[in-house]
Amino acid sequence: MAKIKRAAVLGAGVMGAAIAGHLANVGIPTYLLDIVPRELTEEEKKKGLTLDDPRVRNRLAQAGKDRLLKEKPSPLYHRDAANLITVGNLEDDLDKLGEVDWIVEAVVENLKIKQELYAKVERVWKPGTIVSSNTSGISIRAMVEGRSEEFRAHFLGTHFFNPPRYMKLLEIIPTEATRPEIVAEMKAFAEDVLGKGVVMAKDTPNFIANRIGVYGLQVTLKAMEEAGLGPDEVDAITGRAMGRPKSATFRTLDLVGLDTFVHVADNVRENVSDPAEKETFVVSPLLRDMVERKWLGQKTGQGFYKKVKGEKGSEILALDPKTMEYRPRKKLRAPSLEAAKRAKSLPEKLQALVYADDVAGRFAWEITKKTLLYAAARIPEIADDIVSVDRAMKWGFNWDLGPFEMWDAIGVEKSVARMREEGETIPPLVEELLASGAKSFYGKEDGKVRHFHIGGKFRDVEEHPKTISLDRLKEQNRVIKANKGASLIDIGDDVALLEFHSPKNAIGADIIMMINAAVKEVSANYRGLVIGNQGTNFCVGANLMLILMEAQDQNWPELDLMVRQFQKAMGSLRYLDRPVVAAPFGMTLGGGVEVCLPADRIQAAAETYMGLVEVGVGLIPGGGGNKELLLRWTEGVDPKEKLLLQPLVNKVFEIIGMAKVSTSAHEARDYKFLRPCDGITVNRDHLLYDAKQAVLAMDRAGYRPPQPRKIPVVGESGYNVLKLGAYNLLQSGHITEHDYKIACKLAYVLAGGAVPEGTLVDEQYLLDLEREAFLSLAGEPKSQQRMMHMLTKNKPLRN
């Protein structure tokens, strides 16, 4: 890993630029090179530029870099990452490849063009430099035919999925000439530095994920046409009910681009030898027609869906495949879909769906059956084990379960019996499994997860040494204490972990009780505490429904007690005599941020979206968030330096008052939710391990808890400054009257109340102001309307 310090990406198209962006995300200086344009644009002509001007010669690479700063969601963790990308072209700057440790080729999917490029690359290639192709399906071996043995020994495929920042999967495809140590080095680098989930694939058409994923889309298209359904009706079946993303099948195709899908399907058809398989990848006339019409999906404004503006605002229409006209979306109704919604677990959802005898059940069974049979038949052609296939589909297509996990979920014996009745040929791998007496592809033995392997034996599922599974630890009886909302778990090396597992990880009485229990237990028996979990998001805030119910019942003593208890629990974390490390990821909002801020360190996943967003529900932070952010922004400021203090308080007022949420952990540093001493983990699977290491490092260094300190406040005069800023926004129509009321409450808290400017106050004083403002706003009818709207509509109300 230490060898890869600089990189170059050849090709600045959508994928090339995004790969360069992700390399920059993780701190690797990268050259981004593309071909030299042969013609001037009209704009270049107006500027008097010539074809020899570097701005013209580097135009394509510069355009790729510029796109990174415009696209949403952003391919970059932070805008500053773009500074690590240096643009150039493949004629003037090819010699720069001698400076780098990794060259990634991402040019057009044309074998001849790639071969010609590699011939040029080898002329300037520094022996030892790794070279890889991002091809989505062209033979890796064929690309470097004619290259030297040493070059081929350092060459392999590295297939990123789009967008590289957000998609976990990286397929690594070595050839027989690739040195094993190069493969191992790239795998470690991809996992530990790029944050990827790596799957080792074979040099076969479209590798693993696209081979199976495109097959699944093909059979779904065919089944839709045979059943006479529309894309919207199919998406109701193939989305969350089957453990797939909400975008299901046809919204996913629109996002990918129908032309891209056709290209990938054609590539498989042209490169497989089995006539029956070739037939499977023949693209339907419907899809060909749509591509000819330029109905390519999101990039052309219409595909299987089309967004139009009507009298009631924007509406999304669905394509009717029979008439090729767009119509209002239909809602498919079927008992099996309703049963799947009610089911508590994904296996129960799948069983309720695929074994049902209604339109949704028959459809789900047909596409599931074919996909499972195809995946099993492709082993060992495309991969050596079922784990690689399952991970590829989960990480590359965002399935909750891979094909073999799905087979276990619906029951292997039951499903195979039905497949046989329907005349299907059962692949050898499945016959071997059943002949061995096993009833599932995965099992557990001695606390380890095992998988069925070719040859009829079970092998351990290999896990990265930095992966900590909380479910596995629970199975090993490592739970110290637990209630409905949270658990305290021994994660080894005398470190405990506080896990939230309430609905949406919302903070309520159970979690507060467990925080208090954790503080006592860790102080007495452990080296430190990690606060983390492995849910969908770290924590989306306090239990809003509970707050609203107490406020509507005017149960102010109870609500006051709840806020006091939360504040006290946060104080206990801050002053615990053992190191505390919070490990946030995903949505970390409101109370979730308030849990993190008192920690000695935060070890955040790169994809962490932090914000004190309480104003969106008509409140202000009540668990110490105002005080903690004020502490961070004013740390080290002399209270006598009034000109320095007010702008800092203004900034805190802006961050909380505008409910700013970071788009990454890197951006969270701009808001001081994260400090320079806090860490960022790119691979979320390693997050708890890294947080644990931070605890151990502080313990070894002789940890001492922080001491309470006085906080300088801007007082009454500063309050007036903040209030005036809010008033100007009100007068200009940017905020409502109720927004202004909330802003004034927030300003009073952050200013430290009606005290002289520069007064030093203690933390409890600010907490009391915060709690009083929180309770006051909770009693406001318009705040209660905002809370109700968020609970019912899941979006803020501006009233």
Side-chain angles (χ1 to χ4, degrees), residues 248-284:
T249 300
F250 294 102
R251 279 182 293 169
T252 297
L253 267 176
D254 277 358
L255 289 168
V256 169
L258 272 62
D259 54 339
T260 302
F261 173 79
V262 167
H263 169 78
V264 176
D266 285 346
N267 185 64
V268 181
R269 192 189 75 252
E270 291 164 9
N271 288 285
V272 295
S273 56
D274 179 36
E277 189 173 6
K278 276 184 180 290
E279 183 64 26
T280 303
F281 285 93
V282 172
V283 174
S284 73

Coordinates of all heavy atoms in Angstrom, one line a residue, residues 248-284:
A248 N -35.6 -0.2 -7.8 CA -36.0 -1.5 -8.4 C -35.4 -1.7 -9.8 O -34.1 -1.7 -9.9 CB -37.6 -1.4 -8.5
T249 N -36.2 -2.0 -10.8 CA -35.6 -2.4 -12.1 C -35.5 -1.3 -13.1 O -34.4 -0.9 -13.6 CB -36.4 -3.6 -12.7 OG1 -36.4 -4.7 -11.8 CG2 -35.8 -4.0 -14.1
F250 N -36.6 -0.7 -13.4 CA -36.7 0.3 -14.5 C -36.2 1.7 -14.1 O -35.7 2.4 -15.0 CB -38.1 0.2 -15.2 CG -38.3 -1.1 -15.8 CD1 -39.1 -2.1 -15.2 CD2 -37.7 -1.5 -17.0 CE1 -39.3 -3.3 -15.8 CE2 -37.9 -2.7 -17.6 CZ -38.7 -3.6 -17.0
R251 N -36.4 2.0 -12.9 CA -35.8 3.3 -12.5 C -34.3 3.2 -12.4 O -33.6 4.1 -12.7 CB -36.4 3.7 -11.1 CG -37.8 4.4 -11.2 CD -38.3 4.8 -9.8 NE -38.6 3.7 -9.0 CZ -38.8 3.8 -7.7 NH1 -38.8 5.0 -7.1 NH2 -39.1 2.7 -7.0
T252 N -33.8 2.0 -12.0 CA -32.4 1.7 -12.1 C -31.9 1.8 -13.5 O -30.8 2.4 -13.8 CB -32.1 0.4 -11.5 OG1 -32.5 0.3 -10.1 CG2 -30.6 0.1 -11.6
L253 N -32.6 1.2 -14.5 CA -32.2 1.3 -15.9 C -32.1 2.7 -16.4 O -31.2 3.1 -17.1 CB -33.1 0.5 -16.7 CG -32.7 -1.0 -17.0 CD1 -33.8 -1.7 -17.8 CD2 -31.4 -1.1 -17.7
D254 N -33.1 3.5 -16.0 CA -33.1 4.9 -16.4 C -31.9 5.6 -15.8 O -31.3 6.5 -16.4 CB -34.4 5.6 -15.9 CG -35.5 5.4 -16.8 OD1 -35.3 4.8 -17.9 OD2 -36.6 5.9 -16.5
L255 N -31.5 5.3 -14.6 CA -30.3 5.9 -14.0 C -29.0 5.5 -14.7 O -28.1 6.3 -14.9 CB -30.2 5.6 -12.5 CG -31.3 6.2 -11.6 CD1 -31.3 5.5 -10.2 CD2 -31.0 7.7 -11.4
V256 N -28.9 4.2 -15.0 CA -27.7 3.7 -15.6 C -27.6 4.2 -17.1 O -26.5 4.5 -17.5 CB -27.8 2.1 -15.6 CG1 -26.7 1.5 -16.5 CG2 -27.6 1.6 -14.2
G257 N -28.7 4.3 -17.8 CA -28.7 4.7 -19.2 C -29.0 3.5 -20.0 O -28.3 2.5 -20.0
L258 N -30.0 3.5 -20.8 CA -30.4 2.4 -21.6 C -29.4 2.0 -22.6 O -29.2 0.9 -23.0 CB -31.8 2.6 -22.3 CG -33.0 2.3 -21.4 CD1 -33.1 3.1 -20.2 CD2 -34.3 2.5 -22.2
D259 N -28.7 3.0 -23.2 CA -27.6 2.8 -24.1 C -26.5 2.0 -23.5 O -25.9 1.1 -24.1 CB -27.1 4.1 -24.8 CG -26.7 5.1 -23.8 OD1 -27.1 5.0 -22.6 OD2 -25.9 6.0 -24.1
T260 N -26.1 2.4 -22.3 CA -25.1 1.7 -21.5 C -25.5 0.2 -21.3 O -24.7 -0.7 -21.5 CB -24.8 2.3 -20.2 OG1 -24.4 3.7 -20.4 CG2 -23.7 1.6 -19.4
F261 N -26.7 0.0 -20.9 CA -27.2 -1.4 -20.7 C -27.1 -2.2 -21.9 O -26.7 -3.4 -21.9 CB -28.6 -1.3 -20.1 CG -29.3 -2.7 -20.0 CD1 -29.0 -3.5 -18.9 CD2 -30.1 -3.2 -21.0 CE1 -29.5 -4.8 -18.8 CE2 -30.7 -4.4 -20.9 CZ -30.4 -5.3 -19.8
V262 N -27.6 -1.6 -23.1 CA -27.6 -2.4 -24.3 C -26.1 -2.7 -24.7 O -25.9 -3.8 -25.2 CB -28.2 -1.5 -25.4 CG1 -27.9 -2.1 -26.8 CG2 -29.7 -1.4 -25.2
H263 N -25.2 -1.8 -24.5 CA -23.8 -2.1 -24.8 C -23.3 -3.3 -24.0 O -22.6 -4.1 -24.5 CB -22.9 -0.8 -24.5 CG -21.5 -1.1 -24.5 ND1 -20.8 -1.2 -25.7 CD2 -20.6 -1.3 -23.5 CE1 -19.5 -1.4 -25.5 NE2 -19.3 -1.5 -24.1
V264 N -23.6 -3.3 -22.7 CA -23.1 -4.3 -21.8 C -23.8 -5.7 -22.2 O -23.1 -6.7 -22.3 CB -23.4 -4.0 -20.3 CG1 -23.0 -5.2 -19.4 CG2 -22.6 -2.7 -19.9
A265 N -25.1 -5.7 -22.5 CA -25.8 -6.9 -22.9 C -25.2 -7.4 -24.2 O -25.0 -8.6 -24.4 CB -27.3 -6.7 -23.0
D266 N -24.9 -6.5 -25.2 CA -24.4 -6.9 -26.4 C -23.0 -7.6 -26.2 O -22.6 -8.5 -26.9 CB -24.3 -5.7 -27.4 CG -25.6 -5.3 -28.0 OD1 -26.6 -6.1 -27.9 OD2 -25.7 -4.2 -28.5
N267 N -22.2 -7.0 -25.3 CA -20.9 -7.5 -25.1 C -20.9 -8.9 -24.6 O -20.1 -9.8 -25.0 CB -20.1 -6.6 -24.0 CG -18.7 -7.0 -23.9 OD1 -17.9 -6.9 -24.8 ND2 -18.4 -7.5 -22.7
V268 N -21.9 -9.3 -23.7 CA -22.0 -10.6 -23.2 C -22.4 -11.5 -24.4 O -21.8 -12.6 -24.6 CB -23.0 -10.8 -22.1 CG1 -23.0 -12.2 -21.6 CG2 -22.6 -9.9 -20.9
R269 N -23.4 -11.1 -25.1 CA -23.9 -12.0 -26.2 C -22.8 -12.3 -27.2 O -22.7 -13.4 -27.7 CB -25.0 -11.3 -26.9 CG -25.8 -12.2 -27.9 CD -26.8 -11.4 -28.7 NE -26.1 -10.7 -29.8 CZ -26.0 -9.4 -29.8 NH1 -26.5 -8.6 -28.9 NH2 -25.4 -8.8 -30.8
E270 N -21.9 -11.3 -27.5 CA -20.9 -11.5 -28.5 C -19.7 -12.3 -28.0 O -19.0 -12.9 -28.8 CB -20.3 -10.1 -28.9 CG -21.3 -9.3 -29.7 CD -20.9 -7.8 -29.8 OE1 -19.8 -7.5 -29.3 OE2 -21.7 -7.0 -30.3
N271 N -19.6 -12.5 -26.7 CA -18.4 -13.2 -26.1 C -18.7 -14.5 -25.4 O -17.7 -15.1 -25.0 CB -17.7 -12.2 -25.2 CG -17.0 -11.1 -25.9 OD1 -15.9 -11.3 -26.6 ND2 -17.6 -9.9 -25.9
V272 N -19.9 -14.9 -25.3 CA -20.2 -16.2 -24.7 C -20.4 -17.2 -25.9 O -20.8 -16.8 -27.0 CB -21.4 -16.2 -23.8 CG1 -21.2 -15.3 -22.6 CG2 -22.7 -15.7 -24.5
S273 N -20.1 -18.4 -25.6 CA -20.1 -19.4 -26.7 C -21.4 -20.3 -26.7 O -21.8 -20.7 -27.8 CB -18.9 -20.4 -26.5 OG -18.9 -21.0 -25.2
D274 N -22.1 -20.4 -25.6 CA -23.3 -21.2 -25.5 C -24.4 -20.6 -26.2 O -24.8 -19.4 -25.9 CB -23.7 -21.5 -24.0 CG -24.9 -22.3 -23.9 OD1 -25.1 -23.2 -24.7 OD2 -25.7 -22.0 -23.0
P275 N -25.0 -21.2 -27.3 CA -26.1 -20.6 -28.1 C -27.3 -20.2 -27.2 O -27.9 -19.1 -27.4 CB -26.5 -21.7 -29.1 CG -25.3 -22.6 -29.2 CD -24.6 -22.5 -27.8
A276 N -27.6 -21.0 -26.2 CA -28.8 -20.7 -25.4 C -28.5 -19.4 -24.6 O -29.4 -18.6 -24.4 CB -29.1 -21.9 -24.5
E277 N -27.3 -19.3 -24.1 CA -26.9 -18.1 -23.3 C -26.9 -16.9 -24.2 O -27.3 -15.8 -23.8 CB -25.6 -18.3 -22.6 CG -25.3 -17.2 -21.6 CD -24.0 -17.4 -20.8 OE1 -23.3 -18.4 -21.0 OE2 -23.8 -16.6 -19.9
K278 N -26.4 -17.1 -25.4 CA -26.4 -16.0 -26.4 C -27.8 -15.4 -26.6 O -28.0 -14.2 -26.6 CB -25.8 -16.4 -27.7 CG -24.3 -16.4 -27.8 CD -23.9 -16.8 -29.3 CE -22.4 -16.8 -29.4 NZ -21.8 -15.4 -29.4
E279 N -28.7 -16.4 -26.7 CA -30.1 -16.0 -27.0 C -30.7 -15.2 -25.8 O -31.5 -14.2 -26.0 CB -30.9 -17.2 -27.2 CG -32.4 -17.0 -27.5 CD -32.6 -16.3 -28.8 OE1 -31.8 -16.4 -29.7 OE2 -33.7 -15.6 -28.9
T280 N -30.2 -15.5 -24.6 CA -30.7 -14.8 -23.4 C -30.3 -13.4 -23.4 O -31.1 -12.5 -22.8 CB -30.1 -15.5 -22.1 OG1 -30.5 -16.9 -22.1 CG2 -30.7 -14.9 -20.9
F281 N -29.2 -13.0 -24.0 CA -28.7 -11.7 -23.9 C -29.1 -10.9 -25.2 O -28.5 -9.8 -25.4 CB -27.2 -11.7 -23.7 CG -26.8 -12.0 -22.3 CD1 -26.5 -13.3 -21.9 CD2 -26.8 -11.0 -21.3 CE1 -26.2 -13.6 -20.6 CE2 -26.5 -11.2 -20.0 CZ -26.2 -12.5 -19.6
V282 N -30.0 -11.4 -26.0 CA -30.5 -10.6 -27.2 C -31.4 -9.5 -26.6 O -32.3 -9.8 -25.9 CB -31.3 -11.5 -28.1 CG1 -31.9 -10.7 -29.2 CG2 -30.3 -12.5 -28.8
V283 N -31.0 -8.3 -26.9 CA -31.8 -7.2 -26.4 C -33.1 -7.1 -27.1 O -33.3 -7.2 -28.3 CB -31.0 -5.8 -26.6 CG1 -31.8 -4.6 -26.2 CG2 -29.7 -5.9 -25.9
S284 N -34.2 -6.8 -26.3 CA -35.5 -6.8 -26.8 C -35.8 -5.6 -27.8 O -35.1 -4.6 -27.7 CB -36.5 -6.7 -25.6 OG -36.5 -5.3 -25.1

